[in-house]
Amino acid sequence: GDFRGRIYINLTEFSAIMSQIPWSHPSTLLRLGGGQYAAELDEVFDGGGSTRFVLRLPQTVSRYLRENFRLNARVEDFEKYFAEERLRICAVDPRILEPNGLDRMLGDVEHLLDETGSIMLTAYANLLSAVLLLLGILRLFAKDRSVGLYRDLLSGLEGVSSAQPGFALWKAAQLAREEPLVAEHLRSTPVSELRVDDLLPGPTRDALTRFLVDYGHRGVREAEIGEPRWAEDPTLMFAALRSHLDGDVDLAAREREIQKARRNAEKDLEESVPLPLRLAVRKLLDVVRRFTRMREHLRGHVVEVLGMFRRVALEASRRIRAREPEAGPDAAFFLTLAEVRRVLYDENDRVAIRVQRRRLEYERNRALPEPPTTFVGFPPDDDEMIRPVTRMKGLAASRGIAEGRARILKDPSQAGSFQPGDVLVVAAADTGWAPLFLAASGVVTELGGPLSHAAIILREYAVPAVVNVTSATRALRDGDIIRVNGDVGTVEVLGG
């Protein structure tokens, strides 16, 4: 459903399917995703029949095996296909295309998104199945230690592609320290005014140029093609770079900490599981880790294709504005794909009034109070009063305890206020904030669960984090001194 411009999934219908699986609970998936009302869902579907599931099991297993029999080979073939399509599509300048050429480009991007999304969902389904099985085993044999074990077993995976931007900026900061003039320019210039081309030629400029080539398609709210990417607005990149320049993040020490926690967790798991099952559990853990890496890698491809959509939309918007100045610079983002195609071919098709009406609706939805992440029926019309709190509860996403000044960021343009040692507080567990994750002493988010992209990245960075903290950006005040406990999932206000 669509509520105030936000898309929500109907958990009741989804849980009705999950409840047919023997020994499964709808609340399990809900907690992984970070939603609320888990107990209520279990009550609604308590004792649901599994007859239909069991009858369909042979067909389900057969389909599952067919889809995954050659998954590794399928991914390898896809990577070659994706590399060729990316090179072909990105080599074309949409500004020089005739309408039918821009239409074909849009069709090519659509097809690439279908192919990319399909294989990513297959990897995600495998990951989810394996995670549910692993969690079941942990709860059965490790009892109360299961949450901490799961978190530590999936830390320090190495090769997680979505974590690479943070590491790349940390390395660029080390290069900048060796170039005093560059470092001074980075420190003295407002981050909103910094540009790579303005830096003196040298290793730092080369590293940042490479960063934008490799990761410039990512950004905050990167699943929304209407939002600018890091290549268009590098404010967040420079804010993270400057924080690293003035901070003292010790990656080697963090790596030792992660590996120690991981080894201890593996030892604990071995001792908890009966001997006949240990080999199978080790294999299952390897599967979870492999599909976690694969999912993050493929998610990066999806975001890259969305960036291609944005290129086409920006060019379509430019053409619409040239014809109808009153439509504004972003008209295509307020049109359906069919409407974009129609306006490309028909010069007499006028869309300005339609775009203006939809833009007003969008701005109205943005101005309305943020709906709750999970609700029954419909979200409330009026936002409830948020009272100051001293202790908040969420989900433990990344181990460790951190104390620091809360820095509440709602938009990348505010990133210039971020300082080394700050605790980053944001609404969504969005990978677009990842450059600041590594620079932060801790992270708090309103949305997300242990399986979210941001939680995976934060565990790679060994940054204490608590996610799914309801109304954190409103209950906390910017500048509060807070303690983030990533071991138990709490956030405490220590002072103003």
Side-chain angles (χ1 to χ4, degrees):
D2 176 358
F3 299 94
R4 302 183 197 167
R6 285 81 168 175
I7 299 171
Y8 284 78
I9 183 173
N10 189 323
L11 291 174
T12 305
E13 292 188 14
F14 188 69
S15 298
I17 300 171
M18 284 297 301
S19 65
Q20 299 175 33
I21 304 175
W23 309 296
S24 72
H25 298 279
S27 60
T28 302
L29 280 179
L30 190 57
R31 291 189 178 99
L32 279 174
Q36 301 171 9
Y37 301 104
E40 287 85 345
L41 280 175
D42 274 347
E43 290 175 5
V44 171
F45 298 105
D46 186 34
S50 301
T51 304
R52 293 175 59 195
F53 173 81
V54 173
L55 290 175
R56 289 199 305 266
L57 192 57
Q59 179 183 356
T60 303
V61 171
S62 175
R63 179 181 176 185
Y64 180 84
L65 292 175
R66 285 199 311 271
E67 288 185 352
N68 294 280
F69 178 65
R70 293 187 64 253
L71 183 58
N72 285 337
R74 182 184 168 195
V75 170
E76 289 180 8
D77 292 342
F78 169 78
E79 289 293 338
K80 296 176 184 176
Y81 161 76
F82 184 85
E84 293 171 358
E85 284 295 283
R86 173 175 54 194
L87 185 63
R88 182 180 67 83
I89 293 173
C90 293
V92 177
D93 185 347
R95 293 173 298 180
I96 65 173
L97 295 176
E98 295 292 328
N100 62 340
L102 192 61
D103 186 13
R104 282 198 303 272
M105 187 177 188
L106 180 58
D108 290 343
V109 175
E110 277 189 89
H111 179 71
L112 185 57
L113 181 62
D114 287 341
E115 294 294 316
T116 310
S118 174
I119 196 166
M120 186 194 76
L121 288 175
T122 300
Y124 191 20
N126 279 271
L127 172 62
L128 193 56
S129 302
V131 164
L132 290 173
L133 184 56
L134 178 62
L135 283 173
I137 291 172
L138 290 175
R139 290 196 182 101
L140 180 62
F141 296 112
K143 310 292 183 191
D144 295 339
R145 307 190 315 280
S146 60
V147 174
L149 273 180
Y150 173 82
R151 182 190 59 228
D152 291 342
L153 287 169
L154 295 181
S155 297
L157 299 182
E158 299 179 352
V160 176
S161 59
S162 51
Q164 297 310 307
F167 291 133
L169 287 178
W170 182 87
K171 292 175 182 176
Q174 309 318 304
L175 294 173
R177 288 178 174 176
E178 302 299 321
E179 299 183 87
L181 292 178
V182 172
E184 176 57 28
H185 178 70
L186 291 171
R187 288 190 177 103
S188 61
T189 306
V191 290
S192 59
E193 298 176 12
L194 285 168
R195 296 291 180 271
V196 173
D197 291 344
D198 294 337
L199 299 178
L200 291 174
T204 306
R205 176 170 167 171
D206 292 343
L208 294 179
T209 300
R210 187 70 220 174
F211 177 90
L212 292 177
V213 170
D214 293 339
Y215 309 113
H217 59 277
R218 310 210 72 147
V220 173
R221 296 181 68 215
E222 59 192 11
E224 169 54 67
I225 65 171
E227 294 294 322
R229 273 43 184 165
W230 293 338
E232 301 170 67
D233 180 5
T235 301
L236 200 71
M237 177 188 79
F238 281 114
L241 183 69
R242 189 155 72 183
S243 184
H244 285 311
L245 198 58
D246 296 331
D248 56 354
V249 174
D250 188 340
L251 282 188
R254 290 191 180 187
E255 176 65 20
R256 290 192 296 271
E257 177 187 343
I258 294 174
Q259 294 304 324
K260 180 181 178 181
R262 179 174 163 173
R263 286 193 300 270
N264 289 340
E266 290 170 347
K267 182 180 178 181
D268 193 350
L269 181 63
E270 286 276 321
E271 294 173 350
S272 302
V273 175
L275 183 60
L277 295 177
R278 288 179 184 174
L279 179 59
V281 173
R282 281 199 297 268
K283 293 291 185 183
L284 176 62
L285 181 58
D286 289 341
V287 168
V288 172
R289 289 168 171 169
R290 177 165 65 90
F291 281 122
T292 298
R293 295 189 193 95
M294 185 182 295
R295 174 213 185 195
E296 291 301 295
H297 178 70
L298 293 172
R299 158 70 189 230
H301 284 344
V302 169
V303 172
E304 196 164 359
V305 180
L306 293 176
M308 298 176 194
F309 263 114
R310 180 169 171 80
R311 285 183 68 212
V312 177
L314 287 171
E315 173 55 22
S317 297
R318 186 188 68 80
R319 298 183 185 197
I320 293 170
R321 190 182 193 184
R323 189 185 308 168
E324 300 178 80
E326 64 273 21
D330 56 353
F333 296 102
F334 295 94
L335 299 174
T336 66
L337 290 176
E339 288 171 335
V340 169
R341 287 193 162 101
R342 189 162 58 247
V343 79
L344 287 177
Y345 286 106
D346 187 357
E347 293 187 359
N348 295 317
D349 187 17
R350 292 293 182 260
V351 297
I353 294 177
R354 194 183 318 158
V355 167
Q356 290 170 353
R357 184 174 66 249
R358 291 174 183 173
R359 188 183 289 114
L360 287 172
E361 181 181 3
Y362 172 72
E363 293 299 335
R364 183 202 66 188
N365 284 332
R366 287 188 63 184
L368 289 172
E370 195 75 29
T373 58
T374 316
F375 53 84
V376 177
F378 291 88
D381 291 332
D382 298 318
D383 191 23
E384 62 182 50
M385 181 67 68
I386 302 298
R387 297 177 177 84
V389 296
T390 57
R391 182 182 175 88
M392 309 178 75
K393 181 68 177 173
L395 297 174
S398 182
R399 72 191 311 273
I401 299 173
E403 293 183 8
R405 180 180 57 176
R407 182 58 64 218
I408 301 172
L409 300 184
K410 299 181 179 179
D411 184 88
S413 64
Q414 301 172 330
S417 64
F418 190 87
Q419 298 295 323
D422 283 351
V423 175
L424 178 63
V425 183
V426 292
D430 191 331
T431 55
W433 292 107
L436 285 182
F437 286 173
L438 188 58
S441 61
V443 173
V444 177
T445 75
E446 292 182 340
L447 301 179
L451 201 56
S452 66
H453 298 284
I456 292 169
I457 297 171
L458 287 160
R459 288 194 289 268
E460 292 301 292
Y461 292 165
V463 174
V466 181
V467 300
N468 202 45
V469 181
T470 303
S471 304
T473 60
R474 289 172 291 167
L476 297 173
R477 294 176 301 179
D478 198 60
D480 279 346
I481 304 302
I482 63 175
R483 177 187 292 126
V484 178
N485 191 325
D487 296 325
V488 298
T490 59
V491 178
E492 297 177 82
V493 179
L494 305 179

